[in-house]
Amino acid sequence: MGTTGGTGGSGGTGGTHEAVDVVVVGAGAAGLAAAHRLTRAGLSVAVLEAEPWIGGRMATASVDGFRLDRVGGPLTLSHEEPRSLPGLDALALRPFAPGVLVHSDGRYARWGAPHPLRPAGASRTAGGRSVGGAFSVARALASAPRHPAASLDQARLGASLVRLAATPAQRILARPERTAREALTARLPARTVQGVLRPLLAALLADPDLGTSSRRADLALRAFARGRLAVPEGGAAALPELLAAALPPGTVRTGVRVTEASVSRVTTAEHGVFRCRSVVLATGARTAAELLPGLRTPAFHAVTVLHHTAPVAPTGDPVLLLESDPGGPVAHTAVMSAVDPGRAPAGRTLITSTVLGTPPDDTERRVRKHLATLYGTSTDEWELLALRHTPDAVPAMPPPHDGNRPVRLLAGLYVCGDHRAASTAQGALASGRRAARALLTDLGVRLPAEPPWAEAA
């Protein structure tokens, strides 16, 4: 699944490989971000990835000309973190229509207009280039009846989002911490929390029960209020592929499974031993705990992603459609070929839908039936391109949540990933940055001060 994005081969079948300064285990966003900072400091680095592709949960598969994300989901990636890494200044983000469209009890309502300081028709790539696109709800959805109290609730929610957008991230991180549900219901009507914010945070954090730390939920809503939801152009793997392509040739080795790791050496299943001065574990939490027994493994939110193609697109709008009603199974869905035309062959349609939690036995049949209701059209002729269930898709962040969990286990041994920070792409990048800084500090390398936005990543 996915592509290697310019990675080097593993080379050799046994014995001891060349010695390097640092071995990074795992070629996801965190590991590649760490590798960038280490190579920029003049260290020799080998990034070892067990899978034949890079990206971890940000991998993208190519199927019959379609680009299908393994987990995917919308991003609220800040502009600061990508700009700090070579290669990511070229990351193009394809925006959804402003706000989200929420389905509830047969009605549709658009919620969460963009921050008033940013033009409604503009978003940006990670490098700062403008991307146009005005909101245009499909006629059938736009003409649907709305909830009687929608106008008042929208005004209250809009005012709350504007306040969040203007609140410094450090002030949010200093607030008393409880569950998102407790914090949100204390300041907004229960029907708004249940009907709008619950499905929105389900899309942003894969947490439909609102058990996430209130601080992390508020930061996610703050990012939503300040910008536009977006996806990387060409698939989620575009981000790790750009990172890998900007590393020195041969740095990344795919298909290399690590079985043991210590400060001075890394043993692989079929590719011999890599000797080194330091090791950075940048795998998922479970794999990290297998290699280093004693590491805490968090709970996870499971995600199932289904990709369909249809003879006719159910809507031409690049809108994220959220389900507010209980029972599902679909949490959110979008015509991804309308958001990012490059994800489907010319003239073809790609619909991507997400189921959260444990999927039912007859997942595809139930999803197809639910999508017929959400889009108001028959799905009998839709074709399933892929169904992927990932039980460990998103690390849970219940309170109390430490977004800066230690990345230094001892001098020469470091661990990073979204499970050490926030369960987002930006959290993974920030964790890799912190691990590299800790390693370089141990080596006596003088480093610049952290940017003001770094601790809130």
Side-chain angles (χ1 to χ4, degrees):
M1 177 183 286
T3 61
T4 58
T7 62
S10 57
T13 57
T16 301
H17 275 228
E18 74 280 7
V20 294
D21 291 319
V22 183
V23 171
V24 176
V25 184
L32 294 169
H36 264 287
R37 285 178 166 80
L38 297 172
T39 56
R40 287 167 66 186
L43 301 182
S44 59
V45 178
V47 180
L48 308 183
E49 170 57 53
E51 302 292 349
W53 61 83
I54 65 170
R57 292 189 298 273
M58 295 190 77
T60 301
S62 294
V63 178
D64 296 333
F66 292 91
R67 296 281 289 170
L68 310 180
D69 284 349
R70 178 181 179 182
V71 175
L75 300 180
T76 52
L77 198 64
S78 78
H79 306 314
E80 293 91 347
E81 188 80 34
R83 278 204 303 264
S84 71
L85 289 170
L88 286 193
D89 56 346
L91 178 66
L93 299 178
R94 301 291 301 193
F96 287 86
V100 292
L101 197 65
V102 180
H103 173 263
S104 178
D105 194 24
R107 301 182 177 93
Y108 300 85
R110 180 187 163 213
W111 294 81
H115 190 271
L117 297 180
R118 176 169 295 177
S123 68
R124 296 185 183 272
T125 66
R129 297 185 302 276
S130 294
V131 178
F135 186 86
S136 172
V137 182
R139 292 178 182 176
L141 302 183
S143 62
R146 298 180 181 273
H147 293 282
S151 296
L152 179 59
D153 287 351
Q154 284 183 341
R156 289 174 175 170
L157 178 58
S160 178
L161 290 175
V162 167
R163 286 193 297 271
L164 266 180
T167 302
Q170 291 304 319
R171 185 179 300 174
I172 292 176
L173 289 172
R175 288 176 174 176
E177 191 176 23
R178 43 188 169 167
T179 67
R181 181 178 296 279
E182 292 169 334
L184 293 172
T185 54
R187 63 180 189 251
L188 288 167
R191 62 175 174 266
T192 301
V193 174
Q194 180 64 22
V196 182
L197 295 180
R198 183 193 62 79
L200 176 57
L201 287 171
L204 297 178
L205 301 175
D207 178 23
D209 298 325
L210 297 180
T212 293
S213 158
S214 56
R215 295 172 183 172
R216 288 295 156 183
D218 278 347
L219 286 174
L221 292 174
R222 176 181 182 269
F224 170 75
R226 291 169 66 91
R228 290 271 287 276
L229 298 179
V231 291
E233 186 174 78
L239 189 152
E241 285 172 357
L242 284 170
L243 286 175
L247 287 169
T251 298
V252 182
R253 331 282 179 99
T254 57
V256 182
R257 184 170 63 88
V258 172
T259 57
E260 294 181 19
S262 65
V263 171
S264 60
R265 57 186 283 159
V266 168
T267 304
T268 69
E270 298 174 341
H271 297 82
V273 174
F274 289 76
R275 298 195 178 277
C276 55
R277 298 166 60 192
S278 298
V279 171
V280 177
L281 281 185
T283 66
R286 292 199 190 281
T287 300
E290 291 171 1
L291 291 172
L292 295 177
L295 283 182
R296 183 181 70 86
T297 302
F300 293 90
H301 298 300
V303 172
T304 303
V305 177
L306 297 92
H307 300 279
H308 289 92
T309 186
V312 179
T315 176
D317 290 301
V319 61
L320 183 64
L321 177 55
L322 310 181
E323 176 59 277
S324 175
D325 293 337
V330 176
H332 53 90
T333 181
V335 180
M336 291 304 300
S337 51
V339 180
D340 178 9
R343 295 188 180 217
R348 302 292 302 277
T349 296
L350 174 63
I351 303 104
T352 298
S353 309
T354 298
V355 175
L356 300 178
T358 303
D361 293 336
D362 53 347
T363 302
E364 205 275 330
R365 182 189 66 81
R366 291 191 59 191
V367 165
R368 189 184 292 262
K369 181 179 179 181
H370 192 182
L371 292 174
T373 298
L374 288 173
Y375 286 112
T377 188
S378 172
T379 58
D380 291 346
E381 296 185 22
W382 289 21
E383 176 189 350
L384 179 67
L385 296 170
L387 184 158
R388 178 62 184 252
H389 175 65
T390 307
D392 298 347
V394 181
M397 297 186 289
H401 175 74
D402 182 2
N404 287 295
R405 292 186 63 201
V407 293
R408 181 187 187 275
L409 302 183
L410 52 89
L413 188 58
Y414 312 86
V415 60
C416 62
D418 58 3
H419 53 96
R420 312 300 292 186
S423 303
T424 61
Q426 185 172 339
L429 293 171
S431 177
R433 169 178 48 79
R434 289 197 295 120
R437 286 183 66 90
L439 189 158
L440 293 171
T441 298
D442 284 342
L443 293 180
V445 177
R446 182 181 293 272
L447 299 169
E450 286 286 84
W453 46 265
E455 292 185 13

